[in-house]
């Protein structure tokens, strides 16, 4: 007996993820016109509710990793859950509407070495390590969940920043940013003078001389995430 989960979401994002997730722990592959998720963890599950719960747990981190590496805005969801029995019959327990594709564009990089060997890299490659870290580290798991939930507003970006700061401590001393960069981000995020109703606080906090734009704030958090996750890789021996 085998459990197979059909995924719904951006076909492009699912295509990119299928290029890198091909291990027994987590495999995404194209099956005719659909993308399916398989995991050896499913072997121990006995009901569609258990498969749904476990897949939801996987997708929460995977959506955060996809958003961070591919810029995905539309979440991947469960399309259907099927039980393929030993006699070959398929029983489908859950179905859902397919989410429309996003306009995200990514590209792979192919290097052909002088000896003829071919090396190919994909934008989603880092997500493999991030998913492995999320299974080992509660802070990484929480950060990816926050990114999945909101990586588009000042509130969402600041929550991710707080997780990094809580875990890593003084990020300036670690060399991940300058004091000026950090002050510009936090003061902009907290200042009604800079952001109006989008600010984290209502009390009077003056805007910095050069308020940070939302796109710059997102780039700043992405830079911190990159440095933090590299440190996490070393900590966990990945």
């Amino acid at each position: 007996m085998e459990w197979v989960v059909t995924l719904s979401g951006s076909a492009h994002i699912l295509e990119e993820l299928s290029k890198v997730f091909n291990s027994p722990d987590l495999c995404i592959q194209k099956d005719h016109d659909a993308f399916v998720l398989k995991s050896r963890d499913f072997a121990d599950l006995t009901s569609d509710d258990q498969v749904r719960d476990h897949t939801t747990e996987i997708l929460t981190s995977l959506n955060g990793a996809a958003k961070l590496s591919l810029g995905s805005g539309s979440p991947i969801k469960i399309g259907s859950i099927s039980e393929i029995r030993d006699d070959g019959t398929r029983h489908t327990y859950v179905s859902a509407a397919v989410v429309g594709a996003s306009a995200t564009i990514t590209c792979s990089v192919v290097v052909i070495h002088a000896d003829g060997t071919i090396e190919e890299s994909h934008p989603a490659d880092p997500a493999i390590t991030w998913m492995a870290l999320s299974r080992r580290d509660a802070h990484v798991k929480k950060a990816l969940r926050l990114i999945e939930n909101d990586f588009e507003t000042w509130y969402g970006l600041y929550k991710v920043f707080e997780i990094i700061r809580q875990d890593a401590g003084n990020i300036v001393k670690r060399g991940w940013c300058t004091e000026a960069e950090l002050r510009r981000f936090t003061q902009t995020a907290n200042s009604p003078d800079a952001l109006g109703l989008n600010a984290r606080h209502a009390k009077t906090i003056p805007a910095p001389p050069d308020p940070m734009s939302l796109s710059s704030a997102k780039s700043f958090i992405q830079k911190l995430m990159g440095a933090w996750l590299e440190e996490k890789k070393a900590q966990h021996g990945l």
Side-chain angles (χ1 to χ4, degrees), residues 168-189:
N170 193 318
I171 58 177
V172 173
K173 286 186 177 179
R174 291 179 178 275
W176 298 351
C177 68
T178 66
E179 185 66 46
E181 286 178 308
L182 179 60
R183 187 183 308 111
R184 185 177 173 223
F185 169 76
T186 56
Q187 190 173 349
T188 301

Side-chain angles (χ1 to χ4, degrees), residues 9 16 50 61 66 79 99 106 114 136 196 205 212 224 230-231:
E16 290 299 319
Q50 290 178 339
S61 295
V99 178
T106 60
R136 293 167 170 81
I205 297 176
M212 186 176 280
L224 293 186
E230 282 299 312
E231 183 173 280

Side-chain angles (χ1 to χ4, degrees), residues 25 126-137 140 229-238:
D25 288 328
I128 301 173
T129 303
W130 300 341
M131 288 295 290
L133 285 172
S134 74
R135 291 191 289 270
R136 293 167 170 81
D137 193 290
V140 174
L229 290 170
E230 282 299 312
E231 183 173 280
K232 287 293 184 181
K233 282 171 59 177
Q235 286 179 3
H236 292 279
L238 294 175

Side-chain angles (χ1 to χ4, degrees), residues 25-233:
D25 288 328
L26 181 59
C27 179
I28 297 174
Q29 58 186 206
K30 194 166 188 178
D31 182 12
H32 300 290
D33 294 329
F35 286 89
V36 299
L37 182 149
K38 298 179 180 181
S39 172
R40 60 182 169 194
D41 293 343
F42 292 164
D44 298 325
L45 307 181
T46 58
S47 71
D48 61 295
D49 285 337
Q50 290 178 339
V51 175
R52 184 187 303 108
D53 290 344
H54 188 67
T55 303
T56 300
E57 187 83 6
I58 292 172
L59 292 182
T60 299
S61 295
L62 185 63
N63 278 318
K67 191 178 287 190
L68 195 59
S69 61
L70 300 171
S72 169
S74 59
I76 302 163
K77 298 182 179 180
I78 298 171
S80 66
I81 297 175
S82 296
E83 178 189 10
I84 303 175
R85 297 181 177 173
D86 294 337
D87 61 2
T89 58
R90 178 187 290 256
H91 297 257
T92 300
Y93 294 91
V94 177
S95 61
V98 175
V99 178
S102 68
T104 305
I105 298 175
T106 60
C107 63
S108 301
V109 177
V110 178
V111 178
I112 302 177
H113 296 283
D115 61 2
T117 58
I118 299 175
E119 178 184 351
E120 186 171 2
S121 61
H122 307 287
D125 283 338
I128 301 173
T129 303
W130 300 341
M131 288 295 290
L133 285 172
S134 74
R135 291 191 289 270
R136 293 167 170 81
D137 193 290
H139 287 97
V140 174
K141 185 175 184 178
K142 187 171 184 179
L144 290 178
R145 286 184 168 183
L146 289 171
I147 290 170
E148 184 216 20
N149 181 64
D150 181 9
F151 202 53
E152 290 74 38
T153 70
W154 282 96
Y155 282 97
L157 295 174
Y158 206 93
K159 286 180 180 179
V160 177
F161 163 71
E162 288 179 323
I163 292 296
I164 297 172
R165 182 175 59 180
Q166 177 188 7
D167 183 65
N170 193 318
I171 58 177
V172 173
K173 286 186 177 179
R174 291 179 178 275
W176 298 351
C177 68
T178 66
E179 185 66 46
E181 286 178 308
L182 179 60
R183 187 183 308 111
R184 185 177 173 223
F185 169 76
T186 56
Q187 190 173 349
T188 301
N190 291 324
S191 172
D193 287 350
L195 300 180
L197 295 177
N198 292 321
R200 294 181 62 251
H201 294 302
K203 62 184 179 181
T204 301
I205 297 176
D210 181 18
M212 186 176 280
S213 68
L214 182 59
S215 61
S216 295
K218 189 170 184 178
S219 296
F220 175 71
I221 298 301
Q222 286 173 323
K223 181 177 75 168
L224 293 186
M225 279 290 296
W228 181 54
L229 290 170
E230 282 299 312
E231 183 173 280
K232 287 293 184 181
K233 282 171 59 177

